[in-house]
Amino acid sequence: MANLIVTGGAGFIGANFVHYHNRVTPQDRIVVLDLLTYAGNKYNLDGLDDVLLIEGDICDTDLVSKIIANHEIDSIVHFAAESHVDRSITGPDAFVATNVVGTHSLLKAAKKAWLDQGTGKAHRFHHVSTDEVYGSLGPNDPAFNETTPYAPNSPYSASKAASDHLVRAYHHTYGLDTTTSNCSNNYGPFQFPEKLIPLFTLNALNGKPLPIYGDGMNVRDWLHVEDHCRGIEACLTKGRSGEVYNIGGGQELPNLTVIDEICRAVDNAFAADPNLAQRFPNAPAARGRKSEELKTFVTDRMGHDRRYAIDETKARSDLDYVPARDFRQGFAETLSWYLSREDWWRPLLNRAALIQ
């Protein structure tokens, strides 16, 4: 039995991981440490009565140390991060504070508990990072692998790159048992509606514009969040100490293709269920029209990376990791979740006024 801290466990990927790990390893004890900022939501953990949620800041090293001691923690799975590139452009300070200083705070507490005090306790610090640390690829460049040089282009990716280097340094300098995973673009349940897929899905349902940066041909590798959780679980159980693993979905798609699939799936859902027209009367599909009419091209984002792609050969060979979903299947599941959980996302839109 393991005792885990999951930082950011009330956020999108973290909450999905807590649900997944609780399901596949129910004997483990999980403590979620989350500051419950705008993207953290305690309701993401509904139904997990045996999971302890502590509202707190990863930058509070004393708090982290107390949690490790009081709950005999032997594993930290570190999701907590500021992650929205647009926000990092307008307000980079929060990204440095959370992603760099916060990660270092956790590393200090882990080192103190697991190494300095001489317990000899087997442990694992797993750090969840992003493929954006590698920069941008040209159309014919090979996909990112674990030896691709870092070249972050946004304040967000630069802060994540710095945190990756700190984790590496704590392993090589102090002997902390660490693994790091760099994932591609996630989507799925509980994703805060500022990211492309939930934002465009909910805009289509509410008859709001679908704002497409530039020419819409920026390419991303899309990864369903449960496949990502399976990859992280494999890092914990099979990953070699000090190693980095790239976790991808094997679905390299231009943004326009993703947006067209969102429009197609929403239109088909309305055609199959007449009740949706009553629930979402402002949707073009409620009037027998196409969601694609909401597409609007806007000025490109500053420093917008053109293409990301993941070479997951190492994860396949070392961890037996294989993504289980293609994008059409994964998005069909995601759309079904959002249609059934209006109670979850409607308050977020009303509070944050995210639908533009």
Side-chain angles (χ1 to χ4, degrees):
M1 183 180 75
N3 299 327
L4 293 79
I5 292 175
V6 179
T7 72
F12 163 44
I13 307 176
N16 275 282
F17 176 78
V18 172
H19 281 277
Y20 180 83
H21 188 87
N22 187 258
R23 185 170 70 249
V24 302
T25 318
Q27 69 272 20
D28 287 357
R29 293 188 296 176
I30 299 175
V31 177
V32 168
L33 176 60
D34 199 299
L35 192 56
L36 298 180
T37 60
Y38 77 96
N41 188 340
K42 64 182 181 180
Y43 299 112
N44 292 353
L45 301 173
D46 279 356
L48 298 174
D49 296 335
D50 52 346
V51 171
L52 174 63
L53 171 62
I54 296 176
E55 184 176 354
D57 192 340
I58 59 172
C59 293
D60 186 343
T61 309
D62 289 341
L63 172 62
V64 177
S65 294
K66 289 176 183 176
I67 296 171
I68 293 174
N70 292 344
H71 297 277
E72 300 181 331
I73 298 297
D74 51 45
S75 302
I76 296 175
V77 187
H78 177 32
F79 293 95
E82 295 285 346
S83 64
H84 191 40
V85 174
D86 287 356
R87 288 178 184 264
S88 82
I89 293 170
T90 57
D93 288 2
F95 289 74
V96 174
T98 299
N99 299 351
V100 183
V101 178
T103 299
H104 190 223
S105 170
L106 292 169
L107 289 165
K108 287 190 296 181
K111 173 179 174 289
K112 177 182 176 182
W114 296 334
L115 301 178
D116 297 348
Q117 295 178 349
T119 63
K121 187 177 183 66
H123 63 271
R124 171 59 57 88
F125 186 112
H126 182 73
H127 175 57
V128 181
S129 190
T130 172
D131 59 357
E132 296 189 40
V133 299
Y134 299 121
S136 183
L137 293 170
N140 299 314
D141 289 341
F144 301 133
N145 63 42
E146 290 79 2
T147 64
T148 300
Y150 277 27
N153 290 321
S154 71
Y156 161 61
S157 57
S159 67
K160 290 298 289 185
S163 66
D164 293 3
H165 291 319
L166 284 168
V167 173
R168 173 184 169 85
Y170 266 69
H171 171 73
H172 285 276
T173 301
Y174 304 115
L176 195 69
D177 185 345
T178 68
T179 46
T180 295
S181 56
N182 295 86
C183 69
S184 56
N185 279 37
N186 278 225
Y187 67 98
F190 300 120
Q191 189 168 25
F192 192 76
E194 65 184 356
K195 299 296 181 75
L196 188 152
I197 287 178
L199 177 64
F200 279 47
T201 300
L202 301 184
N203 278 15
L205 293 176
N206 288 279
K208 303 297 183 180
L210 307 180
I212 303 167
Y213 282 132
D215 62 2
M217 295 306 293
N218 300 76
V219 174
R220 301 292 183 262
D221 179 345
W222 291 95
L223 170 64
H224 189 278
V225 67
E226 185 166 301
D227 284 338
H228 186 195
C229 292
R230 290 175 44 247
I232 293 169
E233 192 75 25
C235 287
L236 290 172
T237 58
K238 301 177 183 178
R240 289 177 288 139
S241 183
E243 292 295 318
V244 176
Y245 298 97
N246 283 352
I247 307 295
Q251 301 292 296
E252 190 180 339
L253 300 170
N255 286 346
L256 270 179
T257 300
V258 171
I259 294 162
D260 286 342
E261 177 60 23
I262 292 171
C263 293
R264 184 200 68 80
V266 168
D267 292 346
N268 287 349
F270 275 75
D273 183 359
N275 291 326
L276 292 179
Q278 298 177 8
R279 290 174 55 195
F280 305 105
N282 294 324
R287 304 184 299 277
R289 302 177 67 173
K290 299 290 188 182
S291 296
E292 65 180 14
E293 71 183 42
L294 299 172
K295 293 194 295 186
T296 304
F297 289 88
V298 299
T299 302
D300 205 357
R301 181 168 68 197
M302 290 187 291
H304 199 179
D305 291 337
R306 190 63 172 174
R307 172 178 169 246
Y308 305 145
I310 286 283
D311 179 350
E312 61 203 27
T313 301
K314 183 177 178 181
R316 288 175 182 263
S317 62
D318 288 14
L319 308 178
D320 298 321
Y321 167 77
V322 180
R325 297 165 175 82
D326 63 21
F327 183 76
R328 178 163 288 194
Q329 175 192 355
F331 180 70
E333 296 174 8
T334 301
L335 175 60
S336 178
W337 188 88
Y338 277 96
L339 289 173
S340 67
R341 291 303 309 273
E342 189 176 355
D343 64 310
W344 180 86
W345 56 259
R346 182 67 71 183
L348 299 181
L349 298 185
N350 292 341
R351 185 181 76 219
L354 286 169
I355 295 292
Q356 301 297 319

